[in-house]
Amino acid sequence: GQGVEQPAKLMSVEGTFARVNCTYSTSGFNGLSWYQQREGQAPVFLSYVVLDGLKDSGHFSTFLSRSNGYSYLLLTELQIKDSASYLCAVRGSNYNVLYFGSGTKLTVEP
Amino acid sequence: EAAVTQSPRNKVAVTGGKVTLSCNQTNNHNNMYWYRQDTGHGLRLIHYSYGAGSTEKGDIPDGYKASRPSQENFSLILELATPSQTSVYFCASGDQGTEVFFGKGTRLTVV
């Protein structure tokens, strides 16, 4: 099977940063995506990475290490509205299918 | 804009009854998916499809059937609904690219 693991909860403070971790163990690798999901809503695409290193997209940055099966989503200059669940999803050997982690619920406090 | 529409948005079903969840996409994507989301489990893949006429089993297909009669439509069928199938169901579409688009979800309660 495909294993994608994330911590269940994360708390941080407005104006600072938060790092959401994801580890994966899959048969093959064809990219990793991050989604944001607000309570009662559908997941929304944030970022996609397939090569090692840091991808800076402004408010969101994404890091990938394929050799370690590890990624993180970095949110900077946090706002209260960044409070949401963040889902990590991996495409394994089957390029057509996304396997999701359980998500990390981020709470940003004033 | 990419659009995935699910119906119904809410459904209460009786144990042993038949339930059909419908999904329509206007993205012209080849791939469509059905996931369920439960607290502590995240999104789990039930069935998916590569195109009209095809259905494939995901990680948790037991108790579910799927039907893809056209490029646009993908249905999830519970022939004999059970309380353990109470969940939020998401349909999604995508291609061999980077982004998958989700519908707004269907909240199913089996009593």
Side-chain angles (χ1 to χ4, degrees):
Chain A
Q2 318 292 328
V4 183
E5 302 290 334
Q6 299 180 242
K9 296 181 179 181
L10 180 64
M11 294 180 68
S12 193
V13 177
E14 186 179 20
T16 67
F17 69 94
R19 190 178 78 187
V20 185
N21 295 321
C22 173
T23 58
Y24 63 90
S25 173
T26 56
S27 302
F29 179 78
N30 280 295
L32 184 147
S33 301
W34 285 95
Y35 287 77
Q36 180 191 64
Q37 186 178 25
R38 299 189 183 282
E39 194 70 34
Q41 298 185 23
V44 174
F45 174 80
L46 292 177
S47 177
Y48 170 80
V49 285
V50 65
L51 298 176
D52 288 348
L54 184 67
K55 179 179 177 182
D56 186 357
S57 303
H59 185 47
F60 301 103
S61 297
T62 311
F63 173 81
L64 176 67
S65 171
R66 288 174 296 172
S67 61
N68 293 309
Y70 170 68
S71 175
Y72 67 72
L73 176 71
L74 181 69
L75 297 87
T76 56
E77 298 181 20
L78 284 171
Q79 303 176 47
I80 301 296
K81 67 179 182 179
D82 290 320
S83 296
S85 289
Y86 292 87
L87 311 178
C88 172
V90 178
R91 291 182 191 269
S93 56
N94 185 340
Y95 196 81
N96 292 287
V97 177
L98 272 176
Y99 292 97
F100 282 83
S102 298
T104 298
K105 185 174 182 178
L106 172 65
T107 301
V108 180
E109 297 182 324
Chain B
E1 184 175 313
V4 180
T5 304
Q6 294 182 230
S7 63
R9 294 293 315 282
N10 291 282
K11 172 77 176 178
V12 178
V14 177
T15 297
K18 182 177 180 178
V19 177
T20 300
L21 305 183
S22 299
C23 179
N24 175 274
Q25 57 111 351
T26 58
N27 308 319
N28 198 33
H29 288 151
N30 289 321
N31 300 331
M32 295 187 74
Y33 311 89
W34 277 105
Y35 291 90
R36 64 177 283 177
Q37 187 172 39
D38 305 286
T39 303
H41 288 283
L43 285 162
R44 292 183 289 174
L45 184 64
I46 307 170
H47 283 288
Y48 61 101
S49 168
Y50 293 121
S54 103
T55 61
E56 305 291 334
K57 294 181 179 179
D59 289 337
I60 54 165
D62 293 346
Y64 302 94
K65 289 171 55 179
S67 174
R68 183 88 182 270
S70 65
Q71 179 82 341
E72 297 79 18
N73 295 293
F74 190 38
S75 298
L76 186 68
I77 303 147
L78 292 67
E79 295 278 5
L80 294 170
T82 69
S84 65
Q85 293 175 312
T86 292
S87 186
V88 178
Y89 292 84
F90 285 100
C91 176
S93 75
D95 271 335
Q96 291 187 359
T98 64
E99 185 172 359
V100 168
F101 296 89
F102 285 85
K104 293 185 177 182
T106 295
R107 185 173 295 276
L108 174 66
T109 303
V110 183
V111 298

